[in-house]
């Protein structure tokens, strides 16, 4: 099995078993993929389809500044295994088509990563991220992931990224994969708010192309890993 092959199974389980797991050489047999809180809430919403169950999903997403939602998304075990796999691949490089390049490794277009990770990304999008975005943004429907990639900031490489929009994305997500660094974080200058204190595994959702210019603040120690999603409606 590849990561995420059975992630959609949580839709048919009892709420107490709502967290998906996989059995694969890249994960421990019982490694969690989805954060149990969001998995349970979305499972209930899918099953019940009531205003209360929809509100329970939305309630998990805080709104620190207008248009930005912060919500538990993937389990820490998923984050650590993704970092391990990305570093083992080691092919971080700027995307030549990206006007704001970083040291990135695509989970959808790099052949070695996509063979193992694209099914997990697609399942997370279909069964978690898509209904989550609809709840957080008044029913707005995203229909595909334009790209999902790991980006690495290090003291001996790229430390930061300048202010930019995500031209390829209607709704973007930045997922913290680790916290073993100093400085860093995604900063939204218009709102004077950054993701520096967002816990590992949480997704920060925001409109990508128009209102939410953002930057990656420089790290001052360690290595920072983040997973970015660009989604289109």
């Amino acid at each position: 099995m590849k990561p995420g092959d059975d992630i959609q199974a949580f839709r048919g389980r009892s709420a107490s078993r709502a967290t998906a797991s996989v059995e694969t050489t890249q994960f421990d047999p019982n490694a969690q993929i989805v954060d149990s809180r969001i998995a349970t809430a979305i499972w209930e919403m899918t099953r019940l389809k009531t205003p209360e169950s929809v509100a329970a999903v939305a309630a998990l997403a805080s709104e620190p500044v207008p248009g930005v939602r912060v919500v538990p998304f993937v389990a820490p075990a998923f984050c650590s295994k993704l970092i391990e796999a990305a570093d083992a691949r080691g092919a971080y490089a700027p995307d030549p088509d990206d006007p704001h390049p970083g040291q990135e490794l695509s989970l959808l277009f790099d052949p070695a990563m996509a063979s193992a990770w694209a099914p997990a990304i697609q399942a997370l999008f279909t069964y978690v991220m898509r209904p989550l975005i609809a709840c957080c943004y008044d029913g707005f429907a995203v229909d595909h992931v334009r790209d999902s990639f790991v980006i690495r900031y290090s003291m001996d490489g790229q430390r930061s990224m300048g202010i930019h929009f995500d031209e390829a994305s209607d709704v973007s997500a930045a997922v913290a994969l680790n916290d073993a660094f100093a400085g860093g974080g995604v900063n939204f200058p218009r709102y004077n708010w950054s993701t520096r204190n967002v816990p590992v595994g949480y997704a920060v959702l925001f409109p990508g192309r128009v209102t939410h210019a953002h930057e990656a603040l420089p790290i001052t120690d360690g290595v920072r890993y983040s997973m970015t999603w660009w989604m289109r409606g």
Side-chain angles (χ1 to χ4, degrees), residues 1-8 21-22 24 27 33 116 119-121 123-124:
M1 296 179 68
K2 296 182 177 66
D5 279 356
D6 72 341
I7 195 173
Q8 65 269 36
S21 64
V22 295
T24 171
F27 286 84
I33 297 177
I121 298 303
L124 281 166

Side-chain angles (χ1 to χ4, degrees), residues 88-195:
R89 172 65 173 150
Y92 298 101
D95 181 344
D97 296 324
D98 188 346
H100 311 287
Q103 292 300 308
E104 304 166 2
L105 179 57
S106 177
L107 304 177
L108 301 184
F109 297 106
D110 179 87
M113 294 300 288
S115 65
W117 292 89
I121 298 303
Q122 185 56 51
L124 281 166
F125 172 74
T126 300
Y127 298 108
V128 183
M129 185 63 82
R130 190 176 184 182
L132 177 60
I133 287 173
C135 285
C136 290
Y137 293 101
D138 300 323
F140 183 77
V142 288
D143 58 25
H144 69 281
V145 183
R146 170 64 181 82
D147 197 5
S148 175
F149 54 89
V150 176
I151 186 164
R152 183 180 189 269
Y153 298 94
S154 64
M155 297 302 295
D156 60 353
Q158 181 175 1
R159 298 188 185 185
S160 63
M161 185 181 295
I163 297 175
H164 63 281
F165 294 96
D166 294 340
E167 288 89 348
S169 177
D170 290 322
V171 180
S172 297
V175 182
L177 297 180
N178 75 320
D179 56 9
F181 59 89
V186 179
N187 183 55
F188 297 87
R190 180 178 183 179
Y191 301 103
N192 192 31
W193 182 83
S194 82
T195 67

